[in-house]
Amino acid sequence: MIEFQTVDLTYDGSRRPQLHGVDLTIPEGELALVVGPTGSGKSTFLNLINGLAPHFTGGTLAGRVLVAGRSTADHPPREMADLVGVVRQDPQTGFVTDIVEDELAYTMESLAVAPAVMRRRVEETLDLLGIAPLRDRPLRSLSGGERQRVAIGSVLTAHPRVLVLDEPTSALDPQAAEEVLAAVQRLVHDLGLTVVLSEHRLERVVQYADSVITLDDAGRVERDPVPARAMVSAPVRPPVVELGLFAQWRPLPLSIRDARRAAAELRQTLTEQTPAAPHAETAFPPSPAGPVVSGAAPAAVLDRVRVVRGGRTVLRNLDLAVHPGEIVALMGRNGAGKTTLLNLLAGTARPDGGRVVVGDRDPAGLKGAELVASVGFVPQEPGLLLWAESVAAECAGADRDTGRPPGTALGILAGLQPGVDPGTHPGDLSEGTRLALVLAVMLTGDPGLLLLDEPTRGLDYHAKSRLGDTLRTRAAGGQAIVVATHDVELVAELCTRVVMLGDADVVVDADARTAATSSPVFAPQVAKVLSPLPLLTVAEVRQAAADIAEARGALQ
């Protein structure tokens, strides 16, 4: 179905190809998972399938990419639309109408499909993706998972033979992600659609893959039709795979179910030294952690805050205090009010009732140097904050604005994302690298309160680890950090406290370990595999196993 014939893609001004010597075939009816480190060229690989690269991204293409025998070099994306449907990371940016049904019909109108055929295909797609109840809904009123399914439906109505998905679950809560992945599976198994999917959160998707296409930093690309085998040598791996490699399980499990079956002996061994987790039905009374920095006042306080948007109560009489040294995970389903709460703390929004205090000031009244020193906010779309013509210029501007020595911001960036070319235009960076750049700019000012909205979009596991190291260091120095996220693996690795929003209020406020081991909603993969043990990460399992081995050795 898709053939790459000795393909090289080199961007203008680059010293080496982004992709080099790609020679592989993706069969019809396969779900191919594309994995690789941040910045390795996954989006470029996807863009080659419909001709977006190099027709719109620029660069020089050598070799050929064929889809159902049609060369993308000879056919620009508009001439590939009947063969290839593409859904980007943020589907809302691709919507061109206001109503769900109109959006489903738009692509067919562009292809001059007959009205009777259009009507039939819209109905089929509504039923196939389970979105018939949404047909008359405004797109702006949809949840994240609903928007993603509508975006998929809008390209399916053209009856493509290939569907390309770039990070389809990166901004979704777990339930919405499951809905989207269930829909994708139906397309593969029921319709024989070929799906090529890139996703950094491998723990969500690897068990569904028919093959794995691995990219490395040198531009090499390989396809393996045995996903478990591919994961052994892959440059990025989900926690369940890392746990299986540590425990030497064969065959290597890719799902929680298979890992649970293999883990009986490991659970028994670890139980000897590890106390049991709280009972699954443990209640979650609000129990905010005290000041982590001794004697310090709260870094931020929300006191009976109320927010109403479009007649809907987004936050209702919400009380919350964040203390210096805390790393707070702000969680909840899409639309629960996480971004609204961050905007209140950043001073970019005002409450309709109640009081917001950062330090001892209303953040909405902070300007200039006071604002930079008080609050740093990294939004979901960090690229919107970038203005300069190069990475170096962005970093130099941050140094000047904060009065820091030249090179400070670049040094922070190097810790977050090594190897970034300072001469690169920010618009040419991968999403994960753009995030690292904006975070470096914000950290240059050393604000007392740091706010991050979905910071792991576009980040692989190594990049998340570097992000975690940086944030832990900052928290140890007294910075208060609030992270709005759906990434339970990040919470397990990094956060000290979980605050969950639901129905416009705080429904959970607990330390991160209690939250993760007492509810499947928060549980990372390791906790699910080893439950009821209160272990959250592979690193903790390694340490526990080492402690047991040491204790046994001392008894001999």
Side-chain angles (χ1 to χ4, degrees), residues 239-257:
V240 71
V241 171
E242 294 285 5
L243 183 63
L245 290 172
F246 167 74
Q248 298 182 336
W249 292 333
R250 296 294 181 270
L252 187 66
L254 299 181
S255 68
I256 298 298
R257 179 187 181 188

Side-chain angles (χ1 to χ4, degrees), residues 57-293:
T57 63
T60 302
L61 174 67
R64 293 205 306 169
V65 181
L66 303 176
V67 181
R70 191 182 303 176
S71 171
T72 60
D74 301 330
H75 299 273
R78 66 178 179 277
E79 296 177 10
M80 299 293 294
D82 63 322
L83 273 181
V84 183
V86 179
V87 180
R88 299 292 170 195
Q89 292 180 20
D90 185 359
Q92 194 161 359
T93 60
F95 290 153
V96 293
T97 68
D98 297 321
I99 304 298
V100 168
E101 190 169 359
D102 294 341
E103 189 66 27
L104 296 180
Y106 179 80
T107 300
M108 292 186 291
E109 292 174 348
S110 303
L111 296 173
V113 174
V117 176
M118 288 174 55
R119 176 63 185 273
R120 173 174 56 80
R121 289 186 183 180
V122 166
E123 295 300 326
E124 291 172 348
T125 303
L126 288 168
D127 291 337
L128 180 67
L129 297 178
I131 54 176
L134 308 179
R135 67 186 312 152
D136 297 322
R137 289 267 302 275
L139 291 167
R140 66 179 181 275
S141 72
L142 303 182
S143 70
E146 289 169 341
R147 282 198 300 269
Q148 195 69 271
R149 281 185 288 163
V150 170
I152 292 172
S154 70
V155 299
L156 284 183
T157 52
H159 280 196
R161 297 174 63 183
V162 174
L163 180 62
V164 175
L165 302 174
D166 192 0
E167 298 272 350
T169 73
S170 63
L172 301 184
D173 62 64
Q175 180 59 40
E178 286 297 325
E179 292 172 357
V180 169
L181 292 172
V184 171
Q185 284 184 277
R186 285 197 298 272
L187 299 176
V188 173
H189 294 289
D190 296 346
L191 300 184
L193 202 66
T194 302
V195 176
V196 185
L197 184 154
S198 172
E199 181 62 71
H200 278 108
R201 295 188 185 178
L202 300 181
E203 65 272 12
R204 289 180 168 180
V205 298
V206 68
Q207 64 265 37
Y208 305 125
D210 298 308
S211 67
V212 172
I213 297 171
T214 304
L215 288 73
D216 64 20
D217 287 326
R220 294 184 294 263
V221 182
E222 294 184 359
R223 173 184 173 273
D224 195 324
V226 182
R229 184 175 63 199
M231 284 292 102
V232 172
S233 58
V236 289
R237 294 188 288 254
V240 71
V241 171
E242 294 285 5
L243 183 63
L245 290 172
F246 167 74
Q248 298 182 336
W249 292 333
R250 296 294 181 270
L252 187 66
L254 299 181
S255 68
I256 298 298
R257 179 187 181 188
D258 291 342
R260 285 281 301 179
R261 289 173 172 173
E265 182 178 348
L266 178 61
R267 277 198 301 272
Q268 181 61 38
T269 300
L270 293 173
T271 300
E272 297 175 12
Q273 295 291 327
T274 309
H279 190 272
E281 298 301 319
T282 299
F284 281 113
S287 55
V292 178
V293 177

Side-chain angles (χ1 to χ4, degrees), residues 351-435:
D352 296 294
R355 182 173 62 108
V356 181
V357 178
V358 173
D360 58 356
R361 298 281 300 277
D362 178 352
L366 296 174
K367 305 292 182 185
E370 276 189 319
L371 178 62
V372 170
S374 299
V375 184
F377 183 24
V378 181
Q380 282 193 36
E381 299 298 331
L384 298 175
L385 301 183
L386 300 174
W387 52 269
E389 294 298 314
S390 69
V391 170
E394 287 285 355
C395 291
D399 293 340
R400 288 193 303 271
D401 292 343
T402 59
R404 298 296 191 266
T408 299
L410 271 176
I412 297 172
L413 176 60
L416 290 166
Q417 187 69 43
V420 179
D421 183 352
T424 304
H425 191 286
D428 294 332
L429 300 174
S430 68
E431 182 171 5
T433 307
R434 276 198 300 272
L435 167 70

Side-chain angles (χ1 to χ4, degrees), residues 475-486:
Q479 200 165 47
I481 301 170
V482 180
V483 183
T485 185
H486 298 301

